Amino acid sequence: MAMNSNALVRSTVTSLPHHSKNRARDFRFHPFSNHLENAIDRLCGLALLIALSPLMAYVAWRIWREDGAPVLFAHWRVGKQGRLFRCYKFRSMLRNSEEVLARLLTEDPQARAEWERDQKLRNDPRITRIGHFLRKTSLDELPQLLNVVKGEMSLVGPRPITLQELKRYGPAKPHYLAVKPGMTGLWQVSGRNNTTYDRRVELDRHYVESRCALLNAWILFKTVLVVVTRDGAC
């Protein structure tokens, strides 16, 4: 699956207009800045992973107690330059979530329209009791620190998306593929689930064109406020 998906991503990137591919290269920092940013991400990610490990162990125990194993969920996401990686999260859905979703989309036209528009459901029957709490507090995303330490994600960047979602990015595809996806980003501090999917894409595009150390620091600060106030959480 990974090999086929990677081939599809490469063909998607190759099929982009020449000027779009050049623009994607223009979004990248100088190689030295990229190496420095990567080193800072990994060191900060490792420090956070160690500091938060007791909390993560407690969350894992709560998930296991309510709905058994596994406690982690790993899904393929598209990373920098189209490389696929397994993005980790604490499992917040029922173990048979795919069956529940398929049945819901077949039986409920309104839910199907909402899913096709946003790839999310406001009243999602798949989410467990502990899962609702994890999502509201964003604790479900803590395992992504493993992706940061592995160099697959940054602390700040576009929201990690699936291969299917990449098709919806249109002219913003080269923007997304030029950088690593992040644990947090402009979308998370700009309304999150209160925004439309098109707005989410626009925020990712704007971040890539404007990114700098000061913007990243502002997003990290705003993320803390959003988590505390639970603004825009599902």
Side-chain angles (χ1 to χ4, degrees):
M1 175 182 177
M3 185 176 298
N4 293 337
S5 299
N6 273 316
L8 184 53
V9 172
R10 285 195 295 271
S11 69
T12 300
V13 177
T14 304
S15 65
L16 290 170
H18 181 67
H19 70 278
S20 294
K21 288 185 283 185
N22 287 338
R23 287 179 61 204
R25 284 194 292 270
D26 292 340
F27 299 142
R28 297 174 184 172
F29 286 166
H30 186 277
F32 175 77
S33 298
N34 277 326
H35 289 311
L36 180 61
E37 182 183 38
N38 183 55
I40 292 174
D41 269 332
R42 290 190 172 196
L43 286 174
C44 291
L46 181 60
L48 287 170
L49 188 61
I50 294 172
L52 296 173
S53 58
L55 174 61
M56 293 175 68
Y58 174 73
V59 170
W61 174 76
R62 285 292 304 272
I63 296 171
W64 175 83
R65 183 183 180 187
E66 179 179 333
D67 196 44
V71 298
L72 289 182
F73 172 77
H75 198 275
W76 289 107
R77 292 291 189 269
V78 182
K80 186 176 180 180
Q81 297 177 348
R83 289 192 281 275
L84 287 187
F85 68 97
R86 282 192 172 275
C87 182
Y88 301 112
K89 279 190 171 188
F90 280 123
R91 183 170 63 84
S92 59
M93 292 186 177
L94 298 169
R95 284 177 287 180
N96 64 335
S97 60
E98 292 186 3
E99 298 172 15
V100 174
L101 177 63
R103 184 167 59 250
L104 177 68
L105 298 185
T106 300
E107 300 173 352
D108 189 335
Q110 186 175 353
R112 182 168 63 251
E114 182 183 356
W115 178 260
E116 291 175 352
R117 183 181 66 247
D118 300 326
Q119 296 294 298
K120 283 183 176 290
L121 297 171
R122 285 194 175 273
N123 298 309
D124 198 327
R126 301 172 296 168
I127 303 176
T128 61
R129 187 172 66 246
I130 183 64
H132 280 289
F133 174 76
L134 294 178
R135 290 183 170 215
K136 285 181 179 179
T137 57
S138 297
L139 291 175
D140 62 317
E141 298 181 356
L142 285 181
Q144 290 175 15
L145 287 169
L146 294 169
N147 294 116
V148 174
V149 173
K150 292 170 65 178
E152 298 164 334
M153 291 179 62
S154 294
L155 292 177
V156 180
R159 170 184 167 270
I161 61 174
T162 64
L163 189 61
Q164 183 178 7
E165 287 179 279
L166 184 61
K167 300 173 185 177
R168 302 181 62 177
Y169 267 59
K173 283 180 184 177
H175 294 71
Y176 178 85
L177 295 171
V179 299
K180 293 179 185 178
M183 287 187 66
T184 187
L186 273 182
W187 170 66
Q188 287 90 332
V189 301
S190 303
R192 198 172 176 181
N193 292 296
N194 295 328
T195 62
T196 64
Y197 197 95
D198 288 342
R199 176 59 175 162
R200 186 188 310 175
V201 173
E202 176 61 21
L203 288 168
D204 283 346
R205 183 197 63 78
H206 178 71
Y207 168 76
V208 175
E209 291 182 347
S210 309
R211 73 187 187 120
C212 63
L214 185 60
L215 177 60
N216 286 352
W218 178 82
I219 290 174
L220 288 170
F221 173 74
K222 286 282 291 183
T223 298
V224 175
L225 296 182
V226 169
V227 169
V228 170
T229 61
R230 303 183 187 180
D231 183 27
C234 57

